[in-house]
Amino acid sequence: METSNGSLGTDFILLGFSNRPKLERIVSVLVFIFYIVALVGNSIIILVSYLDPQLRTPMYFFLSNLSFLDLCYTTSIVPQMLINLWGTNKSITYAGCVLQFFFALDLGATECLLLAVMAYDRYAAVCQPLYYTVIMHPQLCQRMLLICWLGGLGSAIILCFLTLKLPRCGHREVDNFFCEMPALIKMACVHSKIIEYVVSALGVVFLLVPVSLILISYGVITQAVMRIKSSARWRKALNTCGSHLMVVTLFYGTLIYMYMKPQNAMSQEEGKFFTLFYTIVTPTLNPLIYTLRNKDVKAAVKRILWFKNYSARL
């Protein structure tokens, strides 16, 4: 396996936390628990948003898509990770590594854009309540969602193409628990300035620009909320915006720290734990944050459960 082209069909070794066997066992249990919670929580949000007519609004349209993204994101990483943590074989096929790498990039970049779109939706709801349904009409919501998916797909294709072209000179060990871009770049036996520039440019487009737009949106929302005299409307605005703001802080905070900080300024172990956080912990916390803080979702779950119980009695 002299170059990347000669490595087709050759397994990679995912090192993960193999240098700390005791920690690896603890991590495997926690990852399994978080994955189950992520599957259940995100599935509930998708089903409730689809089944309850009262939740067929732009906010829950985007929220259900965020849950779908989180489901796909964790599923592209966790099953293989658990297989490697529980077994003695730490390998992953070349094709499996490429697919994992591509989908993680695609879904992660799409989520970056989607969270910015959700901030705009909150701006329209709070600052333009009388025109909200006119502004956020279904066609616009679908177009914005399509742009998010196409943007994520385009960035994933570019980064995958550039990263997989790098010669690895026989290196097979990926020093992470999944095929992530920084770990794959470190396997290369040459330094690529092109990838460095592309990653920086895409980091601005998918991280700094969305964060800036979100901050501007919430700056305007804060001014509008301060003028609200109705305490009920004031609490509702803070409730819906607070949930989104918590998710944004968790997701973007770890991603910006990982991708915008110089790689040589971060230890590999530190990078693994931050990666663990934004790939597994954050998608698990998202549905909990929205369901625990959102009265509409909790009320919809109760209505669906009551309807099922009532139908069963009949």
Side-chain angles (χ1 to χ4, degrees):
M1 185 172 108
E2 292 304 319
T3 66
S4 59
N5 294 332
S7 63
L8 295 174
T10 304
D11 291 352
F12 287 157
I13 307 298
L14 294 171
L15 296 179
F17 301 96
S18 54
N19 59 331
R20 297 183 182 182
K22 291 183 180 179
L23 177 63
E24 200 170 51
R25 286 193 289 271
I26 296 171
V27 168
S28 68
V29 173
L30 291 175
V31 167
F32 178 75
I33 294 171
F34 273 95
Y35 184 52
I36 296 300
V37 174
L39 288 179
V40 174
N42 286 297
S43 298
I44 287 173
I45 288 180
I46 293 170
L47 288 172
V48 168
S49 299
Y50 177 75
L51 294 174
D52 195 298
Q54 295 185 32
L55 297 187
R56 288 173 190 169
T57 63
M59 174 183 172
Y60 295 102
F61 170 74
F62 292 126
L63 179 56
S64 60
N65 277 278
L66 177 65
S67 293
F68 176 72
L69 271 173
D70 285 338
L71 272 178
C72 297
Y73 192 45
T74 52
T75 301
S76 69
I77 296 169
V78 174
Q80 181 67 50
M81 180 184 178
L82 290 175
I83 290 170
N84 290 351
L85 287 172
W86 288 339
T88 55
N89 185 8
K90 307 292 183 183
S91 66
I92 182 172
T93 63
Y94 179 83
C97 186
V98 171
L99 287 174
Q100 194 179 65
F101 176 42
F102 174 80
F103 282 116
L105 279 175
D106 181 17
L107 297 168
T110 303
E111 185 160 339
C112 287
L113 298 178
L114 181 59
L115 288 172
V117 168
M118 291 174 74
Y120 176 75
D121 171 69
R122 291 300 82 211
Y123 156 77
V126 176
C127 301
Q128 305 289 336
L130 298 178
Y131 302 99
Y132 176 60
T133 54
V134 176
I135 296 171
M136 300 301 293
H137 55 86
Q139 291 80 11
L140 177 64
C141 294
Q142 291 166 6
R143 286 173 194 153
M144 289 195 293
L145 183 64
L146 181 61
I147 289 171
C148 293
W149 279 101
L150 291 177
L153 179 63
S155 66
I157 291 173
I158 292 169
L159 290 175
C160 276
F161 175 75
L162 292 175
T163 304
L164 296 174
K165 276 191 69 179
L166 292 173
R168 291 185 296 274
C169 303
H171 299 156
R172 297 176 55 216
E173 295 183 342
V174 181
D175 196 5
N176 211 324
F177 54 84
F178 83 105
C179 291
E180 192 189 25
M181 186 175 63
L184 291 175
I185 290 175
K186 286 181 180 179
M187 289 173 62
C189 51
V190 296
H191 178 69
S192 175
K193 281 287 185 183
I194 295 176
I195 287 186
E196 195 174 299
Y197 295 144
V198 170
V199 169
S200 298
L202 291 177
V204 171
V205 173
F206 287 89
L207 293 175
L208 297 186
V209 171
V211 167
S212 300
L213 294 175
I214 289 169
L215 291 176
I216 292 170
S217 297
Y218 277 106
V220 178
I221 287 171
T222 302
Q223 291 180 341
V225 168
M226 297 300 289
R227 294 195 296 266
I228 293 176
K229 295 180 180 180
S230 168
S231 58
R233 276 193 63 205
W234 190 82
R235 283 194 299 269
K236 185 175 182 180
L238 286 181
N239 188 42
T240 56
C241 294
S243 298
H244 180 254
L245 200 54
M246 287 176 67
V247 170
V248 164
T249 303
L250 289 170
F251 185 72
Y252 283 109
T254 50
L255 272 179
I256 288 174
Y257 186 84
M258 274 290 295
Y259 283 90
M260 301 306 290
K261 184 179 179 180
Q263 292 298 313
N264 54 9
M266 184 189 306
S267 70
Q268 191 62 29
E269 292 301 310
E270 183 186 8
K272 289 178 188 178
F273 281 106
F274 270 93
T275 303
L276 195 66
F277 192 87
Y278 73 76
T279 56
I280 296 165
V281 177
T282 302
T284 305
L285 293 178
N286 286 356
L288 295 177
I289 290 170
Y290 276 106
T291 53
L292 293 177
R293 291 178 55 86
N294 194 306
K295 293 180 181 179
D296 293 337
V297 174
K298 289 189 282 189
V301 172
K302 289 178 182 178
R303 283 195 295 270
I304 291 170
L305 292 176
W306 178 86
F307 179 77
K308 286 187 176 180
N309 291 333
Y310 180 76
S311 301
R313 288 174 187 173
L314 294 178

